Amino acid sequence: MSDIVLTAAVRQNLLSLQNTADLLSTTQTRLATGKKVNSALDNPTNYFTAAGLDARAGDISNLLDSIGNGVQVLQAANTGITSLQKLVDTAKSIANQALQQPTGYSTKSSIQFTGTGVGAAPAGPATAANLTSSKLNGGVFTFTNSAGTAVTITVGTAAAAFDPTTKTATVKTLDQLNTALAVAGVNLSGSITGPDDLTFTSTNDGAGQTITGTAAPTAPAALDAINISANALGGGAGGAVVAAVPDAVSQNARATLVAQYNQVIQNLTTTAQDASFNGINLLDGNSLKLIFNETGKSTLTIAGVNFDPNGLGLATLTAGTDFIDNVLTGKVLTALNAASATLRSQASAFGANLSIVQIRQDFAKNIINVLQTGSSNLTLADSNEEAANSQALSTRQSIAVSALALANQSQQSVLKLLQ
């Protein structure tokens, strides 16, 4: 090819035609790819900057899958809490049915104290209007439960209502005595059973409680029990205790309710265990850690809870021991109310965490869009401009071909002379 001699005019036109062809090829490539920067050779700064933006967008996009799974884990936990709350409500309904049952005892437990008198001879036998006219005058009675809480009531002429701070009262009449017992929360009622005799009998609420009598205050070991101690003027340790007599029909009905309650409690365990997603169960003690950015520095750890019956403070009941009277039933209801409060509190906590995760999920989607838009701004071609360029270059190419033909006419003239 080096032996071929071209005139200056032909060579200049050929060079122009080659440049036009290169430009046309570049324009056609941009139209085909939609990008004005296809390699580092096109624009190193824009190419590598866009590559960095695309890489970060890809990293964050990969995190969106784990964030989405985190949302579902929280949704599963929330669904589990909702079901647990319904089960607790069902257990409450069963406990309330126990409260509506007839008294579980045909005869309630009782104990009698006989006053020994003090000072001058009493004016007469004890009456509902005046206990101090009998030998009960000056008697001091202390009622102690299993927690060791003591309430002291004195029989005396200077009557004083129950004081919740000191847990003491002084009574003269039978009505004052029973009012003080009720206000103090002692499930007993007093009655006059002889000239100098005062008998304490369990009320319906505490019909199944065990009564013991001693000269000195003693905390009973049994949960549903009460110890009544008295000074010498109140009869000391008191007489023999009459034990409560269970009502078979009522107790059978209560035992049936205990079985129903225990079935609900068992379902609390299985429901909490089933509230998992992708192997993570926030109701079974598992924790969830979410990563929100490509460096791993932005994270959220959601601690799990144990919402089996033990975790909620609930236990299975025993027929013949639980639900036997209103006091014990009330203690079960107290535990159920506490479990409901715990579930509501945790549902609120998970709800707040879910809001955070969803906000970060939306943020990740938006930041990916920002990064990809920035990358596109650096590399994408303007299709309209490139189409116009292509048309202009095609026209220029046609003109260059014609110019090349004109440049060759001088040599054609020489050829005609030789002919």
Side-chain angles (χ1 to χ4, degrees):
M1 298 295 291
S2 60
D3 295 334
I4 300 174
V5 178
L6 299 176
T7 64
V10 172
R11 190 174 294 281
Q12 185 64 37
N13 279 281
L14 178 60
L15 182 61
S16 177
L17 187 61
Q18 289 173 337
N19 289 337
T20 300
D22 288 341
L23 290 173
L24 185 59
S25 176
T26 299
T27 301
Q28 289 173 344
T29 299
R30 290 177 178 178
L31 285 171
T33 62
K35 291 184 177 182
K36 64 182 178 182
V37 179
N38 287 286
S39 70
L41 297 176
D42 296 330
N43 188 322
T45 300
N46 285 11
Y47 179 81
F48 288 112
T49 301
L53 295 174
D54 287 335
R56 187 187 175 202
D59 292 340
I60 296 176
S61 180
N62 291 334
L63 292 174
L64 276 176
D65 292 336
S66 63
I67 295 174
N69 282 340
V71 171
Q72 296 307 115
V73 170
L74 285 166
Q75 293 282 20
N78 182 66
T79 301
I81 287 179
T82 301
S83 297
L84 291 176
Q85 184 65 65
K86 291 179 180 179
L87 287 172
V88 169
D89 290 341
T90 300
K92 286 183 185 179
S93 176
I94 294 173
N96 284 322
Q97 289 182 54
L99 289 177
Q100 296 168 7
Q101 292 295 318
T103 303
Y105 292 83
S106 56
T107 300
K108 304 178 190 68
S109 58
S110 64
I111 186 173
Q112 177 179 291
F113 290 85
T114 300
T116 60
V118 59
T127 64
N130 188 1
L131 298 175
T132 60
S133 62
S134 68
K135 293 182 180 181
L136 291 168
N137 187 33
V140 179
F141 300 90
T142 302
F143 309 87
T144 310
N145 60 21
S146 60
T149 303
V151 172
T152 300
I153 297 178
T154 302
V155 177
T157 55
F162 178 74
D163 184 343
T165 302
T166 61
K167 298 188 180 301
T168 60
T170 300
V171 300
K172 179 179 180 180
T173 69
L174 188 62
D175 283 344
Q176 291 173 351
L177 172 64
N178 287 325
T179 298
L181 290 170
V183 172
V186 178
N187 293 310
L188 295 168
S189 63
S191 60
I192 300 171
T193 53
D196 302 299
D197 297 333
L198 187 59
T199 298
F200 294 98
T201 305
S202 295
T203 61
N204 285 344
D205 283 346
Q209 70 181 350
T210 301
I211 298 177
T212 58
T214 60
T218 302
L223 183 64
D224 192 25
I226 190 166
N227 173 260
I228 307 174
S229 61
N231 64 356
L233 302 181
V241 175
V242 176
V245 178
D247 179 84
V249 174
S250 177
Q251 291 300 343
N252 285 338
R254 291 170 183 265
T256 300
L257 293 175
V258 166
Q260 295 174 6
Y261 178 92
N262 288 340
Q263 190 174 30
V264 173
I265 295 301
Q266 290 172 1
N267 274 276
L268 288 174
T269 300
T270 55
T271 301
Q273 291 174 345
D274 292 340
S276 64
F277 180 85
N278 199 30
I280 300 176
N281 190 344
L282 292 176
L283 302 185
D284 198 28
N286 300 148
S287 294
L288 174 66
K289 183 176 182 179
L290 297 172
I291 300 174
F292 296 129
N293 69 354
E294 70 280 10
T295 64
K297 294 180 179 179
S298 178
T299 63
L300 174 65
T301 300
I302 302 172
V305 293
N306 286 305
F307 271 178
D308 56 7
N310 289 334
L312 291 172
L314 303 175
T316 55
L317 304 183
T318 303
T321 300
D322 297 295
F323 279 178
I324 58 175
D325 60 31
N326 291 350
V327 169
L328 291 178
T329 304
K331 291 178 180 178
V332 174
L333 277 171
T334 298
L336 290 170
N337 288 330
S340 289
T342 300
L343 289 169
R344 293 190 187 101
S345 176
Q346 192 59 50
S348 177
F350 282 156
N353 289 326
L354 179 59
S355 295
I356 293 172
V357 175
Q358 288 176 329
I359 290 171
R360 288 308 303 254
Q361 186 180 41
D362 292 339
F363 172 78
K365 292 178 181 178
N366 290 331
I367 202 67
I368 288 172
N369 181 63
V370 170
L371 293 170
Q372 291 175 336
T373 300
S375 173
S376 298
N377 290 340
L378 293 172
T379 60
L380 291 184
D382 185 338
S383 299
N384 293 324
E385 180 182 356
E386 298 304 329
N389 289 339
S390 178
Q391 289 295 324
L393 290 170
S394 295
T395 301
R396 183 187 299 179
Q397 189 177 44
S398 297
I399 293 173
V401 171
S402 298
L404 183 61
L406 292 173
N408 282 322
Q409 284 183 357
S410 59
Q411 294 184 23
Q412 291 173 355
S413 297
V414 173
L415 179 61
K416 288 181 178 179
L417 290 174
L418 292 175
Q419 290 176 344

